[in-house]
Amino acid sequence: MKYLFIMTVLAVFIGCGQSQRPLSDTDKQRYLAQGDSIATEAQKALIAKLSQAIQGNGVEAAVEFCSMNALPLTDSLSRLHSVAIQRLSERNRNPQNAIRSEIDRQAWAQIEEIMQDANAGKKHLISQDNDKVYYYKAITIAMPTCLSCHGNKEEDIKEAALTVIKEKYPQDLATGYRMGDLRGMWKIAFPENE
């Protein structure tokens, strides 16, 4: 019994003394490429479905689609790629997309800095927390259609769409954007020891 206690204490001390192994440049590039590929696929899938909804029944249908299908869509892509995909924002529409963790807050601050750099190519980064690796990529207001749901309430969003937004998302924070603004970020959590 004494031996088991000593071994347990030793294991805890050894485990606590281990620091995270920094990613090599090769690993960073691999995670950046893989994360970018997955985030691009997710963005395209979401835009395609929103475009279909808008063409079929207007902007209100796109809001309806998002409220019911955006999270299941990212969940299905998460399963397909064996990762965890999220969309996060400081000004979220869906409360499930709120930034909650310190590592996500730090990534948001870094993405905001990258957005200020006109010379920055891709607006993405890799973050590491112990053995976990996270990919983050900026989501911007890149098309005028985005303003139909996320623009100025008085100028860009029609009353019918605003009514559905208020109904589906009573605590909505995701309006008042202009073209090029940072709207949110993709977060892809890779499995440990990938």
Side-chain angles (χ1 to χ4, degrees), residues 8 10 18 36 43 45 50 62-63 81 118-119 123 133 160-161 164 172:
T8 302
L10 211 75
Q18 293 177 343
D36 193 48
Q43 184 79 17
L50 290 173
V63 176
H81 293 288
N119 296 321
K123 314 274 193 234
V133 176
V164 177
D172 177 46

Side-chain angles (χ1 to χ4, degrees), residues 113-128:
E113 282 182 35
I114 292 170
M115 290 294 295
Q116 300 303 314
D117 183 356
N119 296 321
K122 294 195 177 195
K123 314 274 193 234
H124 62 177
L125 60 98
I126 291 293
S127 186
Q128 187 178 10

Side-chain angles (χ1 to χ4, degrees), residues 10 14 40 50 56-57 75 109 143 151 176 179 181 185-186 189:
L10 211 75
I14 291 170
T40 299
L50 290 173
N57 295 308
D75 287 347
M143 300 180 298
M179 287 297 295
D181 282 354
M185 65 182 178
W186 289 102

Side-chain angles (χ1 to χ4, degrees), residues 139-144 146-147 150-151 177-183:
I139 300 172
T140 61
I141 300 293
M143 300 180 298
C146 298
L147 296 174
H150 295 289
Y177 290 99
R178 295 181 310 231
M179 287 297 295
D181 282 354
L182 177 62
R183 158 76 184 94

Side-chain angles (χ1 to χ4, degrees), residues 15 17 27 33-34 44 85 111 135 154 170 185:
D27 286 341
Q34 187 177 1
K44 285 181 179 178
I85 304 171
I111 291 286
Y135 169 88
E154 289 79 34
M185 65 182 178

Side-chain angles (χ1 to χ4, degrees), residues 23-177:
L23 294 173
S24 69
D25 288 342
T26 302
D27 286 341
K28 284 181 188 174
Q29 291 306 314
R30 180 175 56 86
Y31 281 119
L32 282 170
Q34 187 177 1
D36 193 48
S37 175
I38 294 168
T40 299
E41 179 182 352
Q43 184 79 17
K44 285 181 179 178
L46 190 56
I47 288 172
K49 295 290 185 182
L50 290 173
S51 295
Q52 286 175 347
I54 290 170
Q55 287 175 354
N57 295 308
V59 174
E60 305 82 45
V63 176
E64 289 276 351
F65 171 85
C66 268
S67 73
M68 296 177 61
N69 299 299
L71 290 174
L73 178 69
T74 54
D75 287 347
S76 68
L77 288 169
S78 291
R79 286 188 300 278
L80 177 68
H81 293 288
S82 300
V83 296
I85 304 171
Q86 291 178 281
R87 289 181 306 146
L88 301 173
S89 181
E90 277 192 340
R91 290 172 47 199
N92 54 291
R93 176 156 285 164
N94 185 327
Q96 291 181 317
N97 298 133
I99 294 173
R100 291 183 177 83
S101 72
E102 185 56 33
I103 194 162
D104 293 342
R105 280 186 205 64
Q106 291 172 4
W108 181 261
Q110 288 179 280
I111 291 286
E112 285 182 315
E113 282 182 35
I114 292 170
M115 290 294 295
Q116 300 303 314
D117 183 356
N119 296 321
K122 294 195 177 195
K123 314 274 193 234
H124 62 177
L125 60 98
I126 291 293
S127 186
Q128 187 178 10
D129 185 27
N130 295 318
D131 289 333
K132 295 180 181 174
V133 176
Y134 303 101
Y135 169 88
Y136 295 92
K137 182 179 184 177
I139 300 172
T140 61
I141 300 293
M143 300 180 298
T145 307
C146 298
L147 296 174
S148 301
C149 290
H150 295 289
N152 184 293
K153 290 180 183 180
E154 289 79 34
E155 298 170 12
D156 302 314
I157 305 173
K158 293 182 180 174
E159 190 60 40
L162 200 53
T163 299
V164 177
I165 291 169
K166 287 178 184 177
E167 175 190 315
K168 297 292 181 184
Y169 304 102
Q171 298 173 343
D172 177 46
L173 303 172
T175 58
Y177 290 99

